[in-house]
Amino acid sequence: MRVMLRAHLDTAAGNEGIKSGALPQSMKKLMDKLKPEAAYFGLHEGVRSCWIVFDLQDSSMMPPLMEELFLNFNADIEVAPVMDAAGLAKGLAAMESSPG
């Protein structure tokens, strides 16, 4: 299932991660594991943030993929199913053909 992970990193923990080199190492490791369709990094609500779209094959993969963000960067994380334009068109077409 295509999902979007949104993570806000704690500022103090992120600062320490930059100084120690842990933040770039963790992001590279995460990208290597997720093999994302898209990944964006920037500021949101005043903190370092990332938005990563990837295929989550099994929900049991969430702990090993995301715990490092929690443990090392006190991250606030959300994961939500998302779709591209083709998926939306397919879903809307299915609604048109179903009764009710």
Side-chain angles (χ1 to χ4, degrees):
M1 173 187 304
R2 178 184 281 133
V3 298
M4 181 182 291
L5 177 148
R6 194 268 314 143
H8 290 311
L9 306 183
D10 175 75
T11 300
N15 290 346
E16 186 56 39
I18 288 172
K19 290 176 188 175
S20 71
L23 182 58
Q25 289 173 2
S26 291
M27 286 298 138
K28 181 181 180 338
K29 192 160 101 176
L30 185 62
M31 295 297 102
D32 290 346
K33 286 181 186 177
L34 296 179
K35 301 186 182 351
E37 175 182 320
Y40 300 95
F41 304 87
L43 293 175
H44 187 253
E45 298 180 359
V47 297
R48 293 177 186 99
S49 300
C50 62
W51 299 264
I52 304 171
V53 178
F54 66 101
D55 181 33
L56 181 64
Q57 295 178 8
D58 188 313
S59 61
S60 68
M61 304 230 7
M62 289 172 54
L65 292 173
M66 297 168 208
E67 281 304 317
E68 191 167 340
L69 293 174
F70 286 125
L71 294 172
N72 293 343
F73 307 109
N74 300 324
D76 173 28
I77 299 174
E78 293 179 6
V79 177
V82 294
M83 66 189 98
D84 59 13
L88 177 62
K90 181 179 176 182
L92 293 174
M95 288 175 58
E96 291 173 1
S97 65
S98 66

